[in-house]
Amino acid sequence: DGCWMKTCEGRVRECRYTMGDDDMLECIKDSVYEDSEIAYIRDSMGYHKVGNPSTTKRSMTLHLYCPPFDKCRVWLDPTHTSNASCSRVCYHSQYGTLVNNNTSSSTTTTTTSSNCGCIDDAKYEVK
């Protein structure tokens, strides 16, 4: 399984992490991608975060996940990896049909509960 990310506009910064022994995420790679560049990550390569390094210019990316996933773990505090949250995917469309996210069960939710279904499942890593 993996994720291909294309920078469609602007610049995008990706930081990759491994899980440290001291309950912290440790940065192992820090890259900036320009217009039209493509990046790839899979679960065995670590965790990552993606963001816009500019405060004045917008950026846009396209992500292709194979296979698709429904939820992933998210760390809001990289110094406490045991305190992960669970985020569910929100789709614009499925199989060519628009999804009404106001009533669909696929709406994005973020909880800090360890009972959300993905915290202890190694299949769901930060994408």
Side-chain angles (χ1 to χ4, degrees):
D1 55 341
C3 171
W4 289 264
M5 176 186 73
K6 180 173 182 174
T7 304
C8 300
E9 181 179 339
R11 302 173 75 214
V12 176
R13 180 179 181 195
E14 177 195 42
C15 299
R16 292 191 187 181
Y17 299 88
T18 59
M19 190 76 68
D21 295 330
D22 54 356
D23 196 32
M24 292 181 65
L25 294 176
E26 298 174 10
C27 183
I28 57 172
K29 185 177 180 185
D30 191 342
S31 305
V32 175
Y33 298 99
E34 306 289 337
D35 274 344
S36 300
E37 287 191 301
I38 297 174
Y40 175 78
I41 191 168
R42 63 180 178 277
D43 290 348
S44 64
M45 296 167 70
Y47 310 99
H48 77 159
K49 72 176 176 181
V50 177
N52 183 350
S54 174
T55 58
T56 59
K57 297 180 183 177
R58 70 181 190 173
S59 65
M60 179 174 47
T61 58
L62 174 67
H63 299 252
L64 173 64
Y65 297 99
C66 186
F69 65 95
D70 293 322
K71 54 190 170 184
C72 66
R73 290 190 296 178
V74 178
W75 286 270
L76 302 177
D77 181 358
T79 63
H80 295 95
T81 58
S82 59
N83 188 18
S85 296
C86 183
S87 182
R88 298 191 184 279
V89 176
C90 178
Y91 294 103
H92 174 73
S93 64
Q94 292 178 332
Y95 305 104
T97 304
L98 292 177
V99 173
N100 181 350
N101 286 311
N102 293 328
T103 59
S104 171
S105 63
S106 66
T107 56
T108 300
T109 59
T110 302
T111 67
T112 54
S113 167
S114 61
N115 297 323
C116 73
C118 67
I119 297 304
D120 297 322
D121 188 342
K123 178 180 175 184
Y124 297 103
E125 304 296 345
V126 171
K127 302 286 185 182

